[in-house]
Amino acid sequence: PPYAENLVIRNPTHRSGIPNNPITVTADIGANVVIKPLDCGPSQPSGGCTGLRIAPTSNSALTDWIFKGLKLGAIPTSHVGAEVAAGTSIVFQQVSLDTSLNSHHTAGIRISGGEGIRILGSTLSNSMFLTDLRLDLVELTGAPVGTMILQNDFSGSALHDAIEIHGTGRKPAVIADNKFHDCSPGDAAVFLYYGAAGTRLYGNEFWNLVGKVAIGIQRSGQVFISNNTFHNVGTGVQFLRQGGYTTIKNNVFSMCAASAVGATGETLPGGTHNGSVVDYNVFFNCGPGIAVNIDPNNFDHLPISNCQGCDPQFVDAANANFRLSSASSPAVGMGDPASAVPWDGDVRIDAGR
């Protein structure tokens, strides 16, 4: 008969893995495995019909599962490619999106619960349509704890957002070492909309988001943005309505047409140790200004160590190699000396990735 999901995994129907010995669901080498509903049926869960769902249960939640090398798809009446509503240490690794997941749907991967959920090394692209922008490649809602989105490639000619975090009661997420490129997001490549306080973005690269926003922040509490590279984008970081204070340091902003950091809504008044920080960054060919429409009184302190008009000397920006080319780059060693040990293990604290 019709059913709401193609594959529902829950305890006790399915058993848990154990640390260092997870249960792995993977495709055979060369196989094109697409997970999608066959029929959503008349009765659907509140989050909509999905192809794969890690479901809540009255028993203990599932732990230690890996979904590797799978492709997530959809049918016109479904909503989400895959959803984690409960569970611990659930990993999506090297997954991709099928062309059947398009503008009729709301998310490629939705994380609405659970703890320690990770999305690793996946290629998440949406280039199947040009209008009706509704699809988030990754959506965090509900109250997941300790989500990590690492080393993925996000692209597509049109999408709503690559990553969106929204709702109340959010626990902080880590978004690190990802690539966001060649797309035209509706809100932003990463859109932090309510309840993303404590989220950290570091080591990411954003390029060819022409006229668009790389990171958008709206009433999300304190967010930490460090050691990212922005190249050929509309705006690097955009405050829409800031509910907390944001630290933006050790980044490289290159060719940001509108501004490196901008604001279109109110920001909270700051003061010593409680305002936003925009310091120890490199700015090169960035629009009419570095920080547009932001009152200096909203900052923790006036910037003292930004490098304005400094060519970061990328290895090969035309071919998306944004490593610093040599020790002569002004971005080398110019990061905040009070920063923690460099995220990439280097002995220097550089700006950018």
Side-chain angles (χ1 to χ4, degrees), residues 84 90 92 109-120 138-141 143-150 163 165 170-176 198-200:
V84 178
I90 308 298
F92 292 92
I109 300 175
R110 173 183 290 159
I111 302 173
S112 59
E115 181 174 355
I117 312 305
R118 288 171 289 168
I119 302 175
L120 306 174
V138 174
E139 176 191 30
L140 273 65
T141 186
V145 177
T147 301
M148 303 184 75
I149 304 173
L150 311 173
I163 299 173
I165 301 178
R170 182 84 50 247
K171 300 298 190 293
V174 172
I175 301 171
T199 291
R200 296 180 178 271

Side-chain angles (χ1 to χ4, degrees), residues 248-267:
I248 303 171
K249 67 180 182 180
N250 302 352
N251 303 282
V252 172
F253 297 89
S254 169
M255 296 176 61
C256 302
S259 65
V261 181
T264 57
E266 75 273 11
T267 57

Side-chain angles (χ1 to χ4, degrees), residues 11 17 26 56 80 87 100 130 139 149 152 156 209 214 216 288 295 330 339 347 353:
N11 199 17
T26 188
V80 180
S100 60
L130 297 175
E139 176 191 30
I149 304 173
N152 303 286
L209 313 181
D295 188 330
S339 298
V347 296
R353 186 175 179 273

Side-chain angles (χ1 to χ4, degrees), residues 254 282-284 307-314 328-331:
S254 169
V282 168
F283 301 96
F284 182 63
C307 188
Q308 302 183 28
C310 299
D311 185 348
Q313 300 178 26
F314 297 130
S328 64
S329 167

